Amino acid sequence: CRARQAAAQLALEGWRVGVLAAAVRDELEAEGRFARCFDACVDDGAADEEGSALRYAARLFEREIDEDLQPALSTFVTIEAHALEAIRALSPLAAAFRSVCGEPALPQLQQLCANLSAGWCTQLEALLAESIGRAVELESWEPISGGRPAVLRSSSVVDLFTQLDQLCDVFISFASLQPLQPADLRAFTDVVERKVGSYVRIVAEGCVPLPASALEGDARRAASAVASDEAPATSAGRSRSSRAKGAAAGPPANKAALEAQPLEQLCLRLNNCAWAREQLGKLASKLVASLPDLTALARTRVGGGGVDTLMAGGASQCDAACDAIAKYVARKVVYYELGSAFLTQLYLPSPLDPASRLAPLLTRLNPTLAAIVRGVALAAWSKQALLAVLGTFSLALTAVLEAPNRRYAPAHRTVLLQDVQRLADFFMDGGLLDEQVVAGSVSPLRALVEASCAA
């Protein structure tokens, strides 16, 4: 019942605005036919100037209709059909006032547009937050349309941008009726940016937290300290025992969740964030093409050149989410899936033992790299993810070479350098990564081997 009453009130106010605008416009046209005769009678600082009487009459009309427009200004609080009809009725009247009096003309119209824009943007915040939450909650993390490379993304990001595209169409229709102030334009683009940023943040933070690894950070230093205190370097058996003890911090509480989130899903998460950036750019182009004032706004806010800088903050958030997921994939693959082998098998009991060399680890890694290449849609982000894996793998190898309960001798130098080269060749094979990039990543390892094996 309340909804029907509200709709009826909106329709009534829309009709009243239309009737009022038409009547005042007709009256203004009538005034224009004979007001010139009274130019000499008007004391407005421009006596005897042609049109001064008509300007005086127009200003009187503007003041008199203000009281009649107030109900509409308070009734219309968001963009909807009756409000748009009111704007369509008032816009020709504002143009008529402008032709007679110049700017500003009918400020009530600008205020109405500002109110509608602000109210609509406030509604969008809640609407989009709910839509994003529901889309992610219902997400199956399966690629759409059969999973061909061109559509390696999932439903939630498609749902979001379908909705955003429709909302942009509404805003363009609204803003095309009456030029908006920069603050009103900015309010809408800010909402779009914030909600895209919120979506990619939720997607990135949806990666299951990884347990601490003895190969990285504080956990690595603590494990190394315990190992150096408890494991004499002369006892290979005790070294293996302490290393196993350090690796076995107990199964992580979220092991089931980690195993339920395969690499294919992580690639889809990255793809969704990358596609969100691409679609945000398309929305920016669409908005600028339809509302040229946004180009100046983009330059003012970012100091750039229009489309590329409109909603640049949202694009940066998409890039940050992609980067976070790529690094997460690398940490999960190296520290979680291969971490035990690094800690308990690599170079134990001796680097001269073929079974303890790097080759078995690289063999286990090979399907993962193939899955990344196959699963990440954009080549640039595929390479970025591979580079993250290489960097993290190099850090894990560094941890093993620096472990205080391992000792290396000059006799180990050749095999260790061969392993470093094998690692480089592995990531360059088939053009996975450029030679220069790989060389930069493994260079510190060569230096570390030389230092570790020095007599």
Side-chain angles (χ1 to χ4, degrees), residues 293-305:
D293 288 348
L294 280 170
T295 304
L297 177 61
R299 292 195 182 108
T300 299
R301 298 189 70 187
V302 189

Side-chain angles (χ1 to χ4, degrees), residues 58-116:
R59 291 304 183 195
L60 284 178
F61 281 138
E62 277 193 299
R63 288 195 292 270
E64 289 174 357
I65 66 173
D66 181 67
E67 184 176 347
D68 293 317
L69 286 177
Q70 288 309 312
L73 291 176
S74 60
T75 301
F76 299 126
V77 295
T78 188
I79 298 173
E80 49 81 41
H82 299 296
L84 295 179
E85 285 302 318
I87 293 174
R88 291 189 183 96
L90 290 173
S91 293
L93 179 59
F97 278 133
R98 194 176 300 114
S99 67
V100 174
C101 307
E103 297 286 359
L106 201 59
Q108 297 91 339
L109 174 58
Q110 196 65 58
Q111 184 60 51
L112 175 60
C113 291
N115 291 349
L116 297 181

